[in-house]
């Protein structure tokens, strides 16, 4: 669990992307999106967002979800790419890893995310989020040496 001061600094550091997520979530309200704060995910979640291919997208401490909530089960990126046979993971656990990544990297997260390959199995941020969803640890995309 993050200490309150570190948590507050992380939220503040991620705020530029959280604002983008908040604006997107607010724009989705007239189309059926429903906001709810989740302590467990450390984020404001907009469920029932009407656009996107399915699943969820994290922007800072805001998660935009096409389903009602984040309790859906989904395949990992490596499993979908045919690289291994992982069990399904809880979508909220995967997205919480991205929340932590944003809180540490703040405004740098999105440029680094796209430099690492964008939305794909090649992206170390996605593999780290899958690892966290599978094991409850390992959300940081660079291994400690």
């Amino acid at each position: 669990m993050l200490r309150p001061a570190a948590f507050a600094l992380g939220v503040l550091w991620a705020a530029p992307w959280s604002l983008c997520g908040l604006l997107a979530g607010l724009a989705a309200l007239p189309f059926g999106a429903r906001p709810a704060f989740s302590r467990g995910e450390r984020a404001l979640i907009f469920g029932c967002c009407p656009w996107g291919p399915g699943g969820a997208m994290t922007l800072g401490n805001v998660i935009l979800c096409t389903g009602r909530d984040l309790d859906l089960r989904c395949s990992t990126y490596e499993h979908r790419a045919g690289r291994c046979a992982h069990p399904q993971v809880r979508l909220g656990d995967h997205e919480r890893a991205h929340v932590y990544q944003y809180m540490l990297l703040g405004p740098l997260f999105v440029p680094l995310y796209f430099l690492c390959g964008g939305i794909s199995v090649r992206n170390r941020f996605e593999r780290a989020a899958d690892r966290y969803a599978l094991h409850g640890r390992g959300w940081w995309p660079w291994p400690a040496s």
Side-chain angles (χ1 to χ4, degrees):
M1 175 106 176
L2 295 173
R3 297 186 189 272
F7 179 79
L9 285 173
V11 169
L12 186 62
W13 184 227
W17 288 112
S18 298
L19 180 60
C20 293
L22 180 62
L23 293 173
L26 292 174
L29 287 177
F31 303 99
R34 295 191 173 102
F37 182 75
S38 171
R39 287 182 59 149
E41 311 311 345
R42 280 63 163 182
L44 176 62
I45 299 166
F46 284 90
C48 301
C49 283
W51 50 75
M57 180 175 78
T58 300
L59 291 166
N61 289 84
V62 176
I63 302 172
L64 307 170
C65 177
T66 58
R68 284 185 299 128
D69 56 42
L70 295 172
D71 286 330
L72 305 168
R73 306 300 288 179
C74 62
S75 297
T76 65
Y77 278 80
E78 288 184 296
H79 183 92
R80 276 183 278 172
R83 291 186 175 185
C84 63
H86 284 151
Q88 288 197 322
V89 298
R90 182 177 168 274
L91 180 59
D93 295 335
H94 177 97
E95 296 305 321
R96 185 179 331 111
H98 290 315
V99 169
Y100 291 149
Q101 292 165 354
Y102 270 103
M103 289 175 70
L104 196 62
L105 294 170
L108 305 174
F109 176 84
V110 171
L112 287 170
Y113 180 89
F114 283 105
L115 280 172
C116 288
I119 303 168
S120 77
V121 69
R122 296 182 323 270
N123 191 317
R124 62 179 51 240
F125 288 94
E126 293 298 350
R127 288 194 317 272
D130 282 342
R131 184 172 53 247
Y132 180 80
L134 282 165
H135 306 294
R137 62 187 186 285
W139 56 264
W140 183 241
W142 287 278
S145 314

